[in-house]
């Protein structure tokens, strides 16, 4: 059986910062995920953190999802 962690990918800074910009423009997580080409559940977590005032996720070296 293949290791599930091996299938995970890091989201590039550019994609996370694209999400941040879309949130700042008022987009919701579903539309942001669609526009950025990312998993809806990943972007939903970004949106929750954005709403709480935490934007550190957008500037990390990569978030494992």
């Amino acid at each position: 059986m293949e290791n599930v962690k091996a299938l995970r990918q890091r989201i590039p800074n550019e994609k996370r910062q694209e999400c941040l910009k879309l949130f700042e423009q008022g987009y919701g997580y579903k539309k942001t995920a669609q526009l950025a080409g990312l998993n809806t559940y990943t972007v939903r977590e970004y949106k929750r953190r954005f709403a709480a005032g935490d934007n550190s996720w957008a500037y990390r070296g990569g978030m494992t999802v």
Side-chain angles (χ1 to χ4, degrees):
M1 183 172 182
E2 210 171 311
N3 186 350
V4 175
K5 285 189 176 185
L7 299 175
R8 293 181 179 185
Q9 299 177 10
R10 293 198 180 267
I11 306 298
N13 276 347
E14 296 79 21
K15 285 287 187 181
R16 286 184 273 117
Q17 290 170 10
E18 179 182 353
C19 290
L20 178 60
K21 288 178 185 175
L22 291 168
F23 294 153
E24 289 171 343
Q25 293 174 18
Y27 286 93
Y29 75 90
K30 289 180 184 179
K31 186 65 174 178
T32 297
Q34 180 184 23
L35 292 171
L38 295 173
N39 181 285
T40 304
Y41 298 109
T42 300
V43 178
R44 181 177 65 183
E45 181 59 31
Y46 291 165
K47 180 69 172 184
R48 287 177 179 166
R49 293 173 71 179
F50 172 78
D54 175 15
N55 294 341
S56 65
W57 54 269
Y59 301 99
R60 292 193 179 158
M63 180 178 173
T64 302
V65 293

